[in-house]
Amino acid sequence: MTGSSNSMIHLAIVLFTAVFTDNILLARFLGMCSFLSVSRQVKTAVGLGLAVVFVMTFTIALDWLAYRYILEPYAIEYFRFILFIVIIAAFVQFIEMAIERYSPVLYQNLGIFLPLITVNCAILGASLFMVIREYSLAEAIAFGFGSGGGWMLAIVAMAGIREKLNNARIPKGLQGPGITLVIAGIMALAFIGFTGVLSGR
Amino acid sequence: MIAAKRTRDVVLTAIWGENPVFRQILGICSALAVTNLVLNTMVMGAAVIFTTALSGFTVSVMRKYTPRIIRMMVEVLIIAFYVILFDQALKAYWPDMSRNLGPYVGLIITNCIIMGRAEAFANANPPVLSFIDGLSSGVGYSLILICVAVVRELLGMGSLLGIPMPFLSSSMWDRWIIMVMPPGAFFTLAVIVWIARTIQKEKDQKSTEAKK
Amino acid sequence: MNLKDKAWFPVIYMFMLTLILSTVLIIFGTITRKRVKENEAIAFERAVIQSLPVEIAGTTAPWQIHQIYLSSIREADETSAGAFRYVKGDSIKGYALPLEGPGFWAPIKGVIGFEPDAMTISGIAFYEQNETPGLGGEITKTSFREQFVGKRISQTGTPLQIRGPTEPLDESSVHAITGATQTSNRLAKFMNENISQWRARMAEQK
């Protein structure tokens, strides 16, 4: 990447893009399983969202280091799928144990979501995108944090909307996953509107 | 006779009755992103079918020897093995397609459907049956995605498999650009789910009424 | 099986399984690796040839591309400031400057060709892009690329502009793809960065 790749403005752009215009859920379709099933209440959505931000940011950094210092030197880049999954699973396991031990309160609010995250494809997906786009470590962290934040934004917004829809009359065939997909589509449409914001850069 | 009937039931259940995407909307993560082109979707479908069938077979062959405590890790390892094989082969022999599909082939590993079939079926059934079950699950899953892709490519690009279609690619038709973008995938899938669920509900209603 | 109940069995099992699967993958990976590298090399060479006024008859097989490349293209030297040289006999028939930068989805890599005057464009080709099919992905189509042929990079200010689809053009600008704002903007940005640097270094030599 060119010399400007680590300037603060560039990193801010990477972050902003990851949250809004290139939202990992609404534009890249990742993390949909938990999105569709855990988005009924704002409270749970916030909990899961925060957990995702935390795990995504740290694991993308760990995966970057693993890719750069283990996979590339030995020319076994195709092992990244397995290695990344192992790193993510190990990290989540470790954090869950740590939280359970040191803060029961935090565990109640956040920790119970952690096992759900291991199967969240957005976490693995973010790391895989990082490899494809040849990000530097700083860019990867900005991207990871932004992607997690964007995912959280989407799921919290979705939960808010669905709470309001509790009393709405929805056709039987559309109830549940159907209407969630329609809402997701409308949100995706709205987020595309952000594309013009950074057009000068 | 019984064996043949069993196989037929397995196939039908996997494709329609318990069709993962209809009933549980599992595993659509990986796939919606590539449904803007039918060709890409077909390759993606092939990857899922390949992985689900072969990993079902492998998990089933090993099921008597695998200790319970590491069962899930073994399943992930086997699934990852087949996915990586497919991904590497694609990269070497069809690099343009590999680039089009991006990280989404690799993400098949985290696809809930494949894990689900391995856990629910392959662990408790003989290898050949598990292979067929995997094959059928993969086919059912791919069919839905191809439906979405057909709608998206026809309306959004006026073509099918890259071949321009008579009316839709002419200047009389305004391409639905929304179909080329993510919201198009969400809406199309929502409509398909709606149609499928309504049909399913009517079927269920008819059968409960028939029982009375 | 009593063996299954021993504490160490799962560990050994996992280890052996990982070993076997990894070995197969590594063997397969090493075999295909060569192929992957060849694909990438041919894609690059094809882009270089397409950006220059090199004669190629009809459809060309990979080995033909390689032959043409070997016979006509030379590496960069001091006079070309990093660009590949299209050489016929003793004279330079053109320069091919590699372009690389972030697209909307993933890095875009291409080559832009210049006449020996280092100002007039002879062509442009992309060998790696992952933009939206039907939108940004159209940059690989002839309709977009042939706009560049014959344009001259401006000697002051922005070398090359990518303007809106309805704006008037001059000798240093081309039309963007309708609906592909992001890809067009990013392409313009890194394309101009690469060209400006090259233009400056070429000027130093005169």
Side-chain angles (χ1 to χ4, degrees):
Chain A
M1 282 277 154
T2 57
S4 67
S5 67
N6 286 344
S7 74
M8 285 309 291
I9 300 208
H10 177 79
L11 293 179
I13 293 177
V14 170
L15 200 147
F16 184 88
T17 312
V19 175
F20 294 106
T21 63
D22 198 26
N23 188 293
I24 202 165
L25 197 150
L26 296 172
R28 304 289 175 170
F29 303 96
L30 294 182
M32 303 251 326
C33 298
S34 21
F35 175 70
L36 290 178
S37 40
V38 184
S39 59
R40 286 178 199 276
Q41 285 182 309
V42 176
K43 237 180 61 153
T44 38
V46 170
L48 184 58
L50 285 173
V52 165
V53 174
F54 181 71
V55 174
M56 200 179 271
T57 314
F58 277 94
T59 51
I60 209 173
L62 291 172
D63 289 342
W64 190 94
L65 292 169
Y67 193 77
R68 175 79 180 279
Y69 295 113
I70 302 177
L71 295 172
E72 268 182 340
Y74 294 102
I76 45 167
E77 292 90 344
Y78 41 84
F79 269 99
R80 66 183 179 280
F81 300 112
I82 301 183
L83 188 56
F84 286 178
I85 291 178
V86 167
I87 290 177
I88 292 170
F91 179 78
V92 170
Q93 187 71 38
F94 176 71
I95 291 296
E96 193 185 347
M97 292 193 309
I99 291 183
E100 194 177 359
R101 179 115 182 271
Y102 290 109
S103 171
V105 175
L106 195 57
Y107 185 70
Q108 283 292 46
N109 289 324
L110 216 65
I112 42 182
F113 294 111
L114 289 175
L116 262 180
I117 291 184
T118 330
V119 296
N120 187 323
C121 35
I123 313 271
L124 178 62
S127 292
L128 293 179
F129 272 121
M130 161 199 75
V131 168
I132 289 180
R133 294 180 190 170
E134 302 171 9
Y135 280 151
S136 66
L137 183 57
E139 284 171 323
I141 294 178
F143 175 68
F145 186 70
S147 293
W151 195 90
M152 179 174 167
L153 184 61
I155 197 177
V156 171
M158 173 66 79
I161 294 173
R162 286 183 83 182
E163 273 186 0
K164 287 266 183 317
L165 282 183
N166 272 336
N167 297 322
R169 283 177 51 202
I170 301 174
K172 280 232 175 69
L174 217 43
Q175 280 170 7
I179 195 69
T180 313
L181 287 170
V182 172
I183 299 172
I186 298 176
M187 283 173 63
L189 205 50
F191 272 54
I192 290 178
F194 286 110
T195 314
V197 174
L198 290 175
S199 61
R201 309 207 172 248
Chain B
M1 260 306 286
I2 297 180
K5 186 169 184 301
R6 254 196 101 185
T7 314
R8 194 188 73 116
D9 285 342
V10 164
V11 171
L12 282 178
T13 314
I15 290 188
W16 184 260
E18 274 175 325
N19 190 303
V21 182
F22 281 177
R23 282 284 160 93
Q24 296 128 23
I25 316 282
L26 297 172
I28 47 177
C29 307
S30 303
L32 278 183
V34 306
T35 51
N36 50 358
L37 287 174
V38 176
L39 185 61
N40 297 3
T41 311
M42 288 171 90
V43 176
M44 189 69 179
V48 174
I49 293 172
F50 175 83
T51 310
T52 324
L54 285 177
S55 57
F57 181 80
T58 315
V59 169
S60 175
V61 160
M62 292 168 54
R63 77 189 186 283
K64 295 208 171 81
Y65 311 104
T66 310
R68 263 195 61 234
I69 200 170
I70 53 168
R71 201 185 60 231
M72 293 197 88
M73 287 202 289
V74 168
E75 284 162 12
V76 173
L77 206 59
I78 293 173
I79 294 171
F81 174 71
Y82 287 113
V83 168
I84 296 178
L85 277 182
F86 193 94
D87 187 59
Q88 272 300 104
L90 208 58
K91 229 186 176 155
Y93 297 104
W94 198 349
D96 284 337
M97 180 54 71
S98 173
R99 216 169 296 120
N100 285 340
L101 296 178
Y104 293 99
V105 173
L107 287 172
I108 293 177
I109 300 177
T110 50
N111 188 314
C112 334
I113 294 180
I114 305 187
M115 267 294 263
R117 291 327 287 172
E119 269 288 282
F121 198 92
N123 262 324
N125 286 284
V128 178
L129 216 54
S130 300
F131 179 84
I132 295 177
D133 173 79
L135 201 66
S136 321
S137 299
V139 169
Y141 175 88
S142 306
L143 283 179
I144 312 297
L145 289 179
I146 292 179
C147 285
V148 175
V150 166
V151 172
R152 286 186 76 191
E153 192 176 348
L154 276 179
L155 294 178
M157 311 255 286
S159 67
L160 207 55
L161 288 174
I163 308 166
M165 289 286 118
F167 170 68
L168 294 169
S169 61
S170 70
S171 49
M172 291 192 288
W173 171 266
D174 258 336
R175 295 177 354 172
W176 289 21
I177 298 285
I178 193 175
M179 283 295 162
V180 175
M181 304 193 296
F186 283 116
F187 293 138
T188 312
L189 186 62
V191 170
I192 291 179
V193 168
W194 191 0
I195 295 173
R197 281 210 155 188
T198 314
I199 296 178
Q200 195 68 39
K201 285 211 185 330
E202 277 173 23
K203 258 184 163 177
D204 287 341
Q205 257 190 331
K206 282 208 182 107
S207 63
T208 38
E209 269 165 32
K211 283 180 188 154
K212 285 180 190 160
Chain C
M1 268 196 159
N2 294 354
L3 211 53
K4 266 173 91 166
D5 299 329
K6 301 264 195 246
W8 47 260
F9 184 71
V11 179
I12 301 286
Y13 191 88
M14 199 66 194
F15 184 74
M16 287 306 300
L17 185 65
T18 313
L19 199 63
I20 296 173
L21 294 182
S22 305
T23 313
V24 176
L25 283 180
I26 292 181
I27 294 175
F28 189 70
T30 321
I31 298 175
T32 56
R33 172 176 207 76
K34 195 162 154 298
R35 189 69 196 262
V36 171
K37 287 262 176 292
E38 277 169 15
N39 287 339
E40 287 170 10
I42 296 288
F44 175 72
E45 289 172 8
R46 177 177 276 124
V48 170
I49 293 173
Q50 281 176 335
S51 69
L52 294 166
V54 180
E55 301 97 41
I56 38 174
T59 46
T60 28
W63 63 267
Q64 285 172 313
I65 298 275
H66 195 56
Q67 287 304 314
I68 298 173
Y69 186 85
L70 284 179
S71 58
S72 316
I73 310 293
R74 300 279 168 271
E75 292 279 319
D77 64 12
E78 322 80 41
T79 64
S80 70
F84 290 81
R85 296 168 293 136
Y86 169 34
V87 172
K88 222 174 182 177
D90 269 336
S91 53
I92 293 199
K93 292 286 189 192
Y95 296 101
L97 181 68
L99 301 171
E100 187 178 329
F104 182 43
W105 282 55
I108 297 178
K109 299 185 185 166
V111 182
I112 189 166
F114 292 97
E115 305 272 343
D117 63 1
M119 275 199 305
T120 319
I121 300 176
S122 56
I124 192 171
F126 298 97
Y127 63 93
E128 201 176 299
Q129 63 84 21
N130 204 210
E131 305 301 283
T132 321
L135 295 177
E138 298 289 290
I139 54 172
T140 54
K141 299 280 163 63
T142 338
S143 49
F144 177 72
R145 288 171 31 223
E146 62 193 6
Q147 295 182 94
F148 288 80
V149 182
K151 297 281 174 171
R152 297 162 68 88
I153 52 172
S154 118
Q155 294 306 305
T156 50
T158 326
L160 206 56
Q161 290 179 354
I162 301 187
R163 295 198 183 148
T166 48
E167 289 175 46
L169 295 178
D170 60 22
E171 63 170 12
S172 302
S173 53
V174 294
H175 278 145
I177 297 167
T178 321
T181 327
Q182 284 297 307
T183 306
S184 305
N185 285 347
R186 288 171 189 227
L187 177 62
K189 184 160 179 286
F190 75 77
M191 196 172 63
N192 283 316
E193 275 170 9
N194 283 205
I195 297 177
S196 300
Q197 279 179 357
W198 184 69
R199 183 181 58 185
R201 284 161 70 189
M202 286 297 275
E204 276 168 29
Q205 291 162 5
K206 291 195 182 136

